[in-house]
Amino acid sequence: MKTIIEPFRIKTVEPIRMTTRDERKRLLHEAHYNLFALHSDDVLIDLLTDSGTSAMSAEQWAAIMRGDESYAGSPSFARFEAAVKNLMPFAHVIPTHQGRAAEAILFHLIGGPGRKIPSNTHFDTTRGNIEATGAEAVDLVIAEGRDPSAEHPFKGNMDLAALETFLRENADAVPCVMLTITNNAGGGQPASLENIRGVAALARAFGKPFIIDGCRFAENAWFVKQREPGQRARKIVDIVRDMFAEADGMTMSAKKDAFANIGGWLALNDDALAREARTRLIQTEGFPTYGGLAGRDLDAIAQGLKEIVDEDYLAYRVRTNEYIAERLDALGAPRVRPVGGHAVFVDARAFLPHIPPLAYPGQALACALYEYGGVRSCEIGTLMFGRQPDGSEKPAAMDLVRLAMPRRVYTQSHADYVVETFAEIASVKNRLRGLRIVEAPPALRHFTAKLAPL
Ligand SMILES: *Cc1c(COP(=O)(O)O)cnc(C)c1O
């Protein structure tokens, strides 16, 4: 059969509250044109993020009931640790309440003024946590990864030549080398197994630990299987194990590729660093066998990790994005190519060329998607990344709007509705206006900034 169906039946449903365009205009104004400030029951289709929004399976809900809430030594931790190590064989697995807590602990230990940390592209919380320690986050993705229209199977690859030069020039300042898989801020693009091995070899040659930001490891493995020569016949779990065998540690948000609504971890091989991390964990998160989580959350993650490597699920997941992308192409809406693992990224700078980057074309498009269709998306562009450490403002590399797909939540008719919203906007796009920032905090400003139309 050619149709790739949702590989699940629906047992529990959540009603969607319908709203009118006039209502949404008012709500948008009240939210200061920041979609994070909306009440989610005023949203028809919520593509703000795929983070923590997954639908859990019947087995995960069963696992929730099995959760053991003992303060120390809970069997839930043993199941969680075993599920992580089954895929990522690191010596130490340290549970945290979400991915950024793992980042905060890691960079508290190895960051600091004068330090420089290279990656393909740091995600916003990673960058925020690095910069909070006074260190510098450096993005060294391949050139194709910065060009939304360039076709390349692995646009999340690190530029290995640039990394080598960077390590040679900054060896003393670099505490670790990172790689984000898939590369969320760069469009959900994967890194190849060959590139992961290349990064690992360079890190090893310079004596630096290699840390993977593994939030969407299963999607990355799916792309490796589909696109990398010699990988097609291999099992997803084997590809996952190969990816992490190269690394010395990882940070993870279980809100992504673990099907959980909360959670994360920091994994490390280095005993001394892990000891320091656990000390910090006890100060900021909790005892090492629960971190920032309840036992039931650890069990939901353990079960989620078994389900996320299912190939029927991954085929359906990536096909959903391709389906939307093919229809956006037919409307002439430019987008990042090829399609990402967890989202479709629309190139708002190209779609709305009359709005300059410093008037936030991505945010203008995101606001229009809400006003016209009640669809909530997320700007990934100059609003998110434009503020420089010295307080000045610079256009981000790209102005994208991310349509992130919650896992196992929406169906094909929801996808059709999103495409219809785009069709509406395409017919009036020359009338859309840019925005200005009225008020914003100095770091991670896109979450709480207040804006106004120009
Ligand atoms: C979501 C995400 C994080 C942070 O994880 P949280 O659980 O949201 O704190 C870090 N890196 C990447 C690539 C992410 O997508």
Side-chain angles (χ1 to χ4, degrees), residues 49-52 97-103 121-126 129 180-185 213-216 251-256 262-264 342 402 447:
T49 176
D50 65 320
S51 179
H97 79 277
Q98 52 184 89
R100 70 197 66 188
E103 294 166 354
T121 312
H122 291 281
F123 187 61
D124 59 351
T125 60
T126 320
N129 272 303
T180 314
I181 58 170
T182 59
N183 195 20
N184 185 357
D213 175 341
C215 292
R216 296 181 184 77
T251 56
M252 175 72 188
S253 170
K255 302 173 75 172
K256 321 291 172 48
I262 197 71
H342 65 297
R402 184 182 70 181
F447 288 122

Side-chain angles (χ1 to χ4, degrees), residues 66-350:
R66 269 195 300 277
D68 180 301
E69 305 305 338
S70 304
Y71 192 94
S74 161
S76 295
F77 175 74
R79 288 189 285 266
F80 161 80
E81 188 186 37
V84 173
K85 286 189 176 182
N86 178 46
L87 296 173
M88 301 115 175
F90 295 113
H92 304 279
V93 182
I94 299 169
T96 59
H97 79 277
Q98 52 184 89
R100 70 197 66 188
E103 294 166 354
I105 290 170
L106 179 66
F107 300 125
H108 174 79
L109 300 178
I110 66 171
R115 298 280 167 91
K116 296 174 194 232
I117 299 169
S119 185
N120 46 358
T121 312
H122 291 281
F123 187 61
D124 59 351
T125 60
T126 320
R127 175 173 286 277
N129 272 303
I130 289 171
E131 290 175 354
T133 71
E136 194 186 332
V138 181
D139 295 338
L140 298 175
V141 73
I142 57 168
E144 290 90 338
R146 281 189 290 268
D147 177 355
S149 61
E151 285 280 0
H152 186 288
F154 293 105
K155 287 173 83 171
N157 278 355
M158 181 86 86
D159 182 336
L160 294 177
L163 178 64
E164 185 167 6
T165 307
F166 183 83
L167 287 170
R168 194 167 291 128
E169 288 170 0
N170 298 284
D172 294 342
V174 175
C176 73
V177 175
M178 286 194 79
L179 192 73
T180 314
I181 58 170
T182 59
N183 195 20
N184 185 357
Q189 301 291 330
S192 69
L193 200 47
E194 185 189 21
N195 191 257
I196 293 171
R197 289 184 171 136
V199 173
L202 278 172
R204 225 174 284 126
F206 284 85
K208 307 296 179 189
F210 172 34
I211 308 289
I212 292 180
D213 175 341
C215 292
R216 296 181 184 77
F217 70 89
E219 290 166 13
N220 201 88
W222 174 257
F223 286 124
V224 165
K225 183 179 164 85
Q226 300 303 310
R227 297 178 185 171
E228 191 157 344
Q231 300 294 328
R232 187 56 76 98
R234 302 189 63 215
K235 285 212 201 90
I236 292 292
V237 281
D238 292 332
I239 296 172
V240 169
R241 287 181 190 130
D242 280 1
M243 293 179 336
F244 289 99
E246 298 294 320
D248 303 294
M250 72 181 294
T251 56
M252 175 72 188
S253 170
K255 302 173 75 172
K256 321 291 172 48
D257 271 1
F259 280 134
N261 300 125
I262 197 71
W265 65 85
L266 170 64
L268 295 165
N269 280 337
D270 186 297
D271 296 339
L273 193 59
R275 199 175 314 118
E276 286 180 66
R278 287 200 177 98
T279 302
R280 182 73 183 164
L281 183 84
I282 292 172
Q283 286 165 353
T284 59
E285 292 277 297
F287 188 74
T289 58
Y290 71 84
L293 294 169
R296 65 179 81 99
D297 301 322
L298 294 168
D299 265 308
I301 294 169
Q303 177 60 29
L305 286 175
K306 295 187 185 121
E307 296 174 11
I308 201 80
V309 289
D310 177 67
E311 301 198 5
D312 291 330
Y313 160 73
L314 289 167
Y316 139 79
R317 172 122 181 106
V318 172
R319 180 59 204 152
T320 305
N321 295 337
E322 284 168 357
Y323 178 85
I324 292 174
E326 285 161 10
R327 278 149 190 81
L328 291 185
D329 290 348
L331 290 172
R335 62 170 175 94
V336 174
R337 293 169 178 279
V339 84
H342 65 297
V344 176
F345 291 74
V346 180
D347 184 350
R349 196 179 284 174

Side-chain angles (χ1 to χ4, degrees), residues 20-30 33 371:
T20 64
R21 185 168 161 211
D22 280 341
E23 224 177 312
R24 293 192 295 265
K25 259 188 182 163
R26 175 177 57 79
L27 292 164
L28 197 54
H29 180 78
E30 286 169 8
Y33 300 87
E371 182 189 319

